[in-house]
Amino acid sequence: YHNDLFYLTGIRLAPKEKLDIPVLFMPDTMKMHEAVVVIHVMRENGENWLYEDSAELNKDFKSVIVAKNGGIQGILWIYPVHGIPEAPQQKLVPAVVRCQARQRVERRVKVLLTDVVPGANAMPAARNSAMFNTNKPANIQEVQVTDGFSTTVEFLYELQYQSNEIKSQLEALVGIHLIQRDRDTESGIVTLIFNIVFAPNKPMRNEATLVVQCFTGGVWKFPVLFIATQPEVDDVINIEAVGLNKESIVGFKLTSQTR
C-alpha cells in the first residue's frame, strides 16, 4: 500500500486453474490507502490470440494489449483495492439507552475519535467509495468538524445492527443526530456528541453499533445497548360477580393502531 510497484512474473496457469493473490494491509495511520492489483496474462509460447476485429480494438482499452501485427498480445485484469483502517477494538462499556415501552427518551452519547487525519489530505476516491453497506443512504449522516486552523474533517455516521431482523425492529424506533463536535488541535482527538432518540413500542433488549467513518478512510465503532422495559398498565377491568354459576359481563373498547 505504497507507491512502489511489485511484480510477480513467471506464474504458469493451466486452463481453469485458480490463482490466489494475498494482499497484506498494515496501516499506521487512520487514512485510507489505495492500490491496484493487475493480472497480466500472456500465452506461454509467446503467440498472440487471434481476433478478427483486432484493428477495431480501442487503443485506450486498458484490459487488452494489442500486438503491432494484429491479434491480442496480453489480457489484463485490473482490481482496485481500498484499504480502510479501523480503530483497534477496545472493551468499551456500551452506551445504554433505556426507556419504558410506549414512552420516548433522549440520551446524549459522547465518542472520542483518535488519530484523525485532517480532511485536507482526504483522497477524492474516499468520497465516492461505498464506505457503508446499507440499502438506505438516508440513514447515513454527513458531518463536518473544523478546528482552529480551518482544517475541515468530514465524517459519515450510522447505526448498524446485528441482523436484518433487529434492524427492521429498531430502525423506525431509533433516531440519531449530531449536536456537538470539537477537535483538539494539539492531540488531534475529535469529540462527537450525539443525541439518540428511542421510542420503543414493546419491551426489548437489542444491541447496535455506532459506526463513524472519516472521509480520509478511518473507521471507529462504539457499542450501544437499547433496553425497553415493561409499559405501564393501560387500565384495570373489574368484573363484579352477580351470583354463583352465573355469568358476569363487562364491556370495554380496544382501538387498533393500524388498519
Side-chain angles (χ1 to χ4, degrees):
Y1 277 69
H2 298 282
N3 294 327
D4 304 327
L5 298 177
F6 300 92
Y7 295 94
L8 293 176
T9 59
I11 300 177
R12 298 178 59 188
L13 286 178
K16 297 185 178 181
E17 185 177 355
K18 295 182 179 180
L19 173 63
D20 293 328
I21 302 176
V23 177
L24 179 64
F25 180 45
M26 298 178 62
D28 54 2
T29 60
M30 294 295 287
K31 181 179 180 180
M32 187 181 77
H33 295 72
E34 295 179 274
V36 177
V37 178
V38 181
I39 313 298
H40 183 193
V41 176
M42 298 176 292
R43 299 183 67 170
E44 187 176 14
N45 57 14
E47 297 180 358
N48 300 330
W49 282 283
L50 298 179
Y51 187 73
E52 296 180 356
D53 298 329
S54 59
E56 299 179 1
L57 285 175
N58 190 348
K59 295 182 180 180
D60 296 331
F61 198 46
K62 297 180 180 180
S63 60
V64 173
I65 300 177
V66 182
K68 294 181 179 180
N69 56 355
I72 299 176
Q73 183 180 10
I75 301 176
L76 300 177
W77 281 266
I78 304 174
Y79 300 95
V81 180
H82 287 180
I84 301 177
E86 184 174 319
Q89 292 293 333
Q90 302 175 358
K91 294 183 179 180
L92 299 175
V93 178
V96 179
V97 182
R98 187 188 303 270
C99 180
Q100 190 177 27
R102 296 196 301 231
Q103 299 295 323
R104 181 181 182 274
V105 70
E106 295 188 19
R107 167 76 189 278
R108 293 190 178 185
V109 175
K110 181 173 69 173
V111 300
L112 301 179
L113 311 182
T114 58
D115 302 322
V116 178
V117 179
N121 298 328
M123 287 175 283
R127 179 183 295 271
N128 298 327
S129 64
M131 287 189 277
F132 283 116
N133 183 14
T134 178
N135 294 326
K136 293 186 177 181
N139 292 337
I140 299 179
Q141 307 287 337
E142 178 180 340
V143 299
Q144 295 183 352
V145 179
T146 306
D147 61 20
F149 297 100
S150 299
T151 301
T152 301
V153 183
E154 299 182 3
F155 295 93
L156 297 174
Y157 64 89
E158 70 166 345
L159 281 172
Q160 294 182 352
Y161 305 98
Q162 294 179 330
S163 66
N164 290 331
E165 182 180 358
I166 296 178
K167 179 180 179 181
S168 63
Q169 294 177 3
L170 285 179
E171 199 169 32
L173 309 177
V174 176
I176 182 171
H177 181 67
L178 183 76
I179 59 175
Q180 185 176 340
R181 57 264 193 183
D182 188 26
R183 176 182 172 89
D184 191 315
T185 56
E186 295 182 0
S187 64
I189 296 178
V190 173
T191 301
L192 302 180
I193 299 179
F194 295 92
N195 186 55
I196 298 180
V197 179
F198 185 35
N201 54 6
K202 62 181 180 180
M204 65 179 66
R205 183 187 180 94
N206 289 315
E207 296 181 359
T209 302
L210 172 58
V211 181
V212 181
Q213 179 161 3
C214 182
F215 272 133
T216 55
V219 175
W220 295 262
K221 295 183 178 181
F222 306 93
V224 183
L225 178 60
F226 293 95
I227 300 176
T229 58
Q230 292 288 341
E232 294 182 358
V233 176
D234 290 320
D235 198 0
V236 177
I237 301 173
N238 295 316
I239 303 177
E240 183 177 350
V242 295
L244 204 58
N245 295 325
K246 295 182 179 180
E247 291 184 353
S248 295
I249 299 176
V250 62
F252 57 90
K253 293 182 179 180
L254 293 178
T255 302
S256 174
Q257 299 296 323
T258 63
R259 295 180 62 86

